[in-house]
């Protein structure tokens, strides 16, 4: 669901001040808090396959009482976390052998930029 963003109310010192400058109060998405059972099931599915699409995503969302968008965004964010962990493990192994990875390697890898973190859960 959506919730109004925090706006400072009218007081004796002046008019209402918007939560963010540049306009009236905007709708702010509420961060989804997953139940432990939902997270466990999502992690199990992620171990099987890193991409959940189509009817599989619809079915999983219905089973977990989540929206399809929540499941989609969870998988997007989980893939990003997985890639970061993989890169950290790779860097740790290379540093064990005295191999230093160039700093620009992270910025040139196109796979790292396929998906940006998304925090638009409903």
């Amino acid at each position: 669901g959506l919730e109004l963003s925090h706006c400072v109310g009218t007081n004796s010192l002046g008019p209402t001040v918007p939560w963010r400058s540049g306009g009236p109060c905007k709708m702010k998405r509420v961060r989804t808090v997953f139940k432990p059972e939902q997270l466990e099931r999502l992690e199990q599915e992620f171990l099987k396959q890193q991409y959940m699409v189509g009817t599989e995503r619809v079915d999983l969302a219905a089973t977990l009482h989540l929206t399809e968008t929540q499941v989609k965004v969870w998988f997007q964010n989980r893939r990003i976390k997985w890639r970061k962990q993989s890169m950290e493990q790779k860097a740790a192994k290379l540093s064990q052998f005295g191999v230093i990875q160039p700093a620009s390697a992270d910025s040139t890898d196109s796979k790292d930029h396929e998906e940006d973190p998304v925090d638009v859960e409903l």
Side-chain angles (χ1 to χ4, degrees):
L2 296 177
E3 177 181 285
L4 277 178
S5 61
H6 174 72
C7 291
V8 178
T10 304
N11 59 31
S12 60
L13 298 176
T16 301
V17 178
W19 178 64
R20 290 186 182 174
S21 60
C25 292
K26 301 205 178 196
M27 299 300 277
K28 179 180 176 185
R29 295 191 187 274
V30 176
R31 180 181 171 98
T32 301
V33 179
F34 295 99
K35 296 176 184 171
E37 301 81 23
Q38 292 171 323
L39 287 172
E40 185 178 333
R41 178 67 190 277
L42 288 163
E43 288 288 350
Q44 286 174 357
E45 294 299 325
F46 185 81
L47 289 174
K48 294 178 193 174
Q49 57 187 21
Q50 284 76 43
Y51 289 85
M52 177 75 57
V53 295
T55 56
E56 292 175 331
R57 184 168 62 207
V58 172
D59 292 343
L60 181 60
T63 301
L64 297 177
H65 305 292
L66 298 169
T67 66
E68 187 180 352
T69 302
Q70 287 171 314
V71 173
K72 179 185 84 166
V73 171
W74 186 90
F75 269 83
Q76 288 174 335
N77 290 336
R78 186 60 180 87
R79 284 192 296 272
I80 293 165
K81 179 180 176 181
W82 178 65
R83 286 190 191 115
K84 284 181 183 176
Q85 288 171 338
S86 297
M87 293 296 286
E88 288 170 3
Q89 288 174 353
K90 183 179 175 183
K93 285 181 182 179
L94 290 174
S95 67
Q96 276 183 328
F97 298 108
V99 177
I100 299 172
Q101 214 175 2
S104 63
D106 289 345
S107 62
T108 58
D109 188 359
S110 63
K111 281 190 114 180
D112 285 346
H113 300 291
E114 285 179 4
E115 298 174 11
D116 290 328
V118 178
D119 193 33
V120 292
E121 298 172 0
L122 300 173

